[in-house]
């Protein structure tokens, strides 16, 4: 099974930039790069901050672009989004309670997109109603299940980032613990830094995001840190006995050199380029 994971695309009014980068152009570049190499992916999942200001026009343009793609796309919302406005353009992603939550079939189990949005805050929330929805979905099948959400459920150790993490992580954790044997992986975004680890024994990961990049600045206690590191997305490769997640820095090709054979017989200390 192959999946594409984008996050924090932060679409803006055309012409507006963030940190000197054009989110709309970078989203197009990410799509062209990912689908050019991975047209066989089963799905593209975008884990939130779809719009930078929650503007309806951004969601309309996103819908128009996604309608041209040849693979299914699944969406979560993040702190920069607006749930009501999003659902006015993407009503199919609402659950029975009006949250942006849905299940989708995969060749290896089921994907679950979660809603961690809360109004007028950058921190994440996961209320009892949302947790009950997740608990019910996880009880419906043996899995494996693949969870997608925007906010990080685990602390990063970077104080400004942790001040806006998922504040109801304990509630999510109680559901995860009950069904840990069915859960294969948790994917998220929000932090704009590449992360990996585990949550109650379940592996998790996040790529940097398709536009502006953050940095794990452990010395800063109050403000988030922006960097000039490359934009990125993830490629997920999963089989019965393994999962591999690549973070692909899709605008780094000019810095690449194809050299260095993996074949031991080709290694020659005098002639190899190092």
């Amino acid at each position: 099974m192959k999946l594409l994971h984008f996050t924090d695309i932060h679409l803006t009014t055309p012409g507006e930039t963030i940190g000197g980068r054009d989110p709309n152009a970078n989203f197009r570049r990410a799509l062209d790069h990912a689908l050019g190499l991975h047209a066989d992916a089963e799905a593209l999942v975008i884990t939130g901050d779809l719009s930078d200001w929650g503007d309806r026009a951004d969601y309309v343009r996103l819908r128009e672009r996604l309608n041209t793609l040849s693979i299914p796309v699944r969406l979560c919302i993040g702190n920069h989004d607006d749930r009501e406005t999003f659902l006015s353009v993407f009503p199919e992603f609402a659950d029975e309670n009006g949250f942006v939550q849905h299940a989708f079939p995969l060749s290896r189990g089921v994907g679950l997109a979660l809603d961690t949005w809360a109004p007028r805050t950058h921190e994440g929330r996961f209320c009892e109603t949302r947790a009950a929805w997740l608990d019910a979905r996880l009880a419906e099948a043996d899995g494996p299940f693949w969870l997608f959400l925007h906010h990080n459920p685990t602390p990063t150790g970077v104080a400004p980032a942790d001040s806006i993490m998922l504040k109801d992580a304990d509630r999510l954790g109680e559901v995860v613990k009950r069904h840990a044997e069915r859960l294969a992986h948790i994917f998220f975004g929000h932090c704009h830094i590449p992360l990996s680890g585990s949550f109650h024994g379940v592996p998790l990961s996040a790529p940097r995001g398709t536009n502006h990049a953050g940095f794990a600045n452990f010395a800063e206690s109050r403000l988030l840190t922006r960097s000039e590191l490359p934009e990125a997305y993830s490629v997920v490769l999963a089989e019965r006995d393994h999962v591999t997640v690549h973070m692909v820095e899709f605008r780094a090709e000019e810095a690449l050199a194809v050299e260095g054979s993996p074949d031991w017989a080709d290694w020659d200390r005098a002639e190899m380029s190092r």
Side-chain angles (χ1 to χ4, degrees):
M1 180 179 76
K2 179 187 287 187
L3 304 174
L4 296 171
H5 175 205
F6 285 22
T7 195
D8 295 276
I9 63 176
H10 283 268
L11 300 182
T12 60
T13 300
E16 292 182 357
T17 61
I18 302 172
R21 300 184 184 187
D22 184 336
N24 301 297
N26 279 327
F27 180 54
R28 290 193 298 271
R29 292 184 183 107
L31 284 175
D32 290 345
H33 190 274
L35 296 178
L37 293 171
H38 306 290
D40 58 336
E42 292 185 22
L44 163 63
V45 186
I46 309 177
T47 52
D49 283 357
L50 309 171
S51 168
D52 195 46
W53 291 100
D55 291 339
R56 192 175 193 279
D58 294 336
Y59 299 130
V60 170
R61 283 185 290 103
L62 176 61
R63 169 135 231 161
E64 290 171 349
R65 183 68 180 93
L66 297 183
N67 284 344
T68 69
L69 303 185
S70 58
I71 67 170
V73 181
R74 306 294 178 170
L75 303 176
C76 300
I77 57 171
N79 50 292
H80 281 256
D81 292 304
D82 181 83
R83 182 189 290 134
E84 182 178 359
T85 306
F86 169 81
L87 288 175
S88 74
V89 180
F90 292 97
E92 68 272 25
F93 290 125
D95 70 7
E96 60 272 22
N97 299 301
F99 293 109
V100 182
Q101 303 200 133
H102 66 284
F104 52 96
L106 296 168
S107 63
R108 288 201 48 75
V110 179
L112 295 172
L114 306 183
D115 183 333
T116 58
W117 182 87
R120 302 185 65 80
T121 181
H122 289 301
E123 65 188 35
R125 290 293 179 183
F126 196 65
C127 63
E128 291 182 0
T129 302
R130 283 175 272 190
W133 180 93
L134 174 60
D135 199 35
R137 300 292 80 72
L138 291 173
E140 288 176 344
D142 293 333
F145 289 94
W146 312 80
L147 298 191
F148 295 85
L149 66 158
H150 180 70
H151 291 84
N152 51 305
T154 57
T156 65
V158 179
D162 291 345
S163 71
I164 56 172
M165 65 177 283
L166 181 63
K167 295 301 182 179
D168 297 315
D170 288 346
R171 180 176 287 123
L172 174 63
E174 288 302 315
V175 180
V176 167
K177 283 190 291 184
R178 281 196 292 275
H179 303 279
E181 74 281 358
R182 296 181 175 91
L183 290 166
H185 204 90
I186 300 172
F187 303 91
F188 62 98
H190 188 49
C191 300
H192 294 254
I193 53 179
L195 293 165
S196 62
S198 64
F199 183 60
H200 296 287
V202 179
L204 52 74
S205 63
R208 188 174 290 127
T210 63
N211 192 61
H212 44 301
F215 185 78
N217 185 355
F218 295 99
E220 174 57 51
S221 62
R222 192 175 69 87
L223 299 177
L224 297 168
T225 299
R226 182 171 59 84
S227 76
E228 293 306 316
L229 291 167
E231 307 88 341
Y233 64 85
S234 287
V235 178
V236 182
L237 306 174
E239 298 299 338
R240 183 181 62 82
D241 58 356
H242 68 267
V243 177
T244 301
V245 182
H246 294 270
M247 188 180 77
V248 179
E249 296 172 330
F250 58 92
R251 296 189 69 191
E253 263 118 356
E254 63 273 13
L256 303 183
V258 180
E259 63 181 17
S261 170
D263 190 336
W264 181 267
D266 291 338
W267 284 28
D268 185 307
R269 185 167 183 168
E271 297 182 1
M272 279 186 67
S273 174
R274 305 294 285 172

